[in-house]
Amino acid sequence: MPEIFEVQPDESREPNLMDTFSPDRVEKFIMGELTLGQLYGITIEEAYSVAELGYTFMEQGRLNEAQTVFQGLVIGNPYDAYFHTVLGSIYQKQENVDGAIEEYSIAIGLDPANMEAYVNRGELLIRKGNFQLAAADFKNALELDPDGNSPSANRARALSSVTAAALSAALSSAK
């Protein structure tokens, strides 16, 4: 039988509730100067370690577990565009179109250079029949990658052609 090794962190920190929930920190949280994750003393590195687990769940098709992880990350770190983008992707895979569009919109608001969020939201907007907004999202994505190096931008190029054709057909039938 193989020997089992216990993994130990390089360093550990003892939680101290008086430091974590000091009146000053609680006031900063209430005033919106600290996120919930910051209030609890969770570093961004720790949050991204948790995100790796959630992303692995998503890749394995364990969407409910991935959703739980990323919803928690969004609650703890609401200003992180990556967490919103991945949660949007999870919702998209679950066919929660409105939830995915909302998460992508938040991600874009936090990071206007978030190409993946533009492309994914644009794709969902096509499904909802909102071709003009979808075309605008694809245009934004393409402007972020003028050389065509990104797979996401190349997907946007293909989807923008489909969108243009659908928009043209919709305009023709409206006449």
Side-chain angles (χ1 to χ4, degrees):
M1 183 162 193
E3 187 175 341
I4 298 174
F5 293 98
E6 187 174 326
V7 177
Q8 296 292 323
D10 291 338
E11 63 181 67
S12 62
R13 54 188 165 92
E14 292 296 320
N16 182 336
L17 287 179
M18 292 310 292
D19 291 338
T20 303
F21 292 103
S22 70
D24 180 52
R25 289 177 55 80
V26 171
E27 181 180 343
K28 285 183 178 183
F29 171 72
I30 291 169
M31 299 304 292
E33 297 171 16
L34 286 179
T35 65
L36 187 61
Q38 290 169 325
L39 177 65
Y40 276 94
I42 299 169
T43 67
I44 196 66
E45 292 81 13
E46 291 168 333
Y48 272 87
S49 291
V50 172
E52 285 182 38
L53 174 66
Y55 194 84
T56 300
F57 285 153
M58 185 176 72
E59 286 182 324
Q60 294 173 346
R62 297 169 60 186
L63 298 179
N64 290 336
E65 290 100 330
Q67 177 184 346
T68 299
V69 169
F70 278 95
Q71 283 175 332
L73 289 167
V74 162
I75 289 168
N77 299 284
Y79 307 115
D80 192 300
Y82 172 73
F83 296 157
H84 286 282
T85 302
V86 177
L87 184 56
S89 295
I90 293 164
Y91 288 159
Q92 187 170 0
K93 289 176 185 287
Q94 294 172 325
E95 297 296 322
N96 178 353
V97 173
D98 292 333
I101 288 173
E102 181 178 349
E103 290 302 324
Y104 293 139
S105 297
I106 293 167
I108 291 166
L110 294 169
D111 178 12
N114 189 329
M115 186 183 318
E116 190 71 27
Y118 280 118
V119 177
N120 289 347
R121 185 175 73 175
E123 184 176 359
L124 293 172
L125 289 169
I126 290 173
R127 288 173 55 182
K128 291 188 71 115
N130 198 332
F131 301 113
Q132 288 180 312
L133 288 177
D137 276 356
F138 298 143
K139 180 179 183 268
N140 286 326
L142 294 175
E143 287 173 353
L144 291 169
D145 184 42
D147 298 328
N149 296 324
S150 166
S152 293
N154 291 333
R155 200 167 109 240
R157 281 180 183 76
L159 289 169
S160 64
S161 296
V162 171
T163 304
L167 188 54
S168 177
L171 291 173
S172 293
S173 67
K175 289 181 183 177

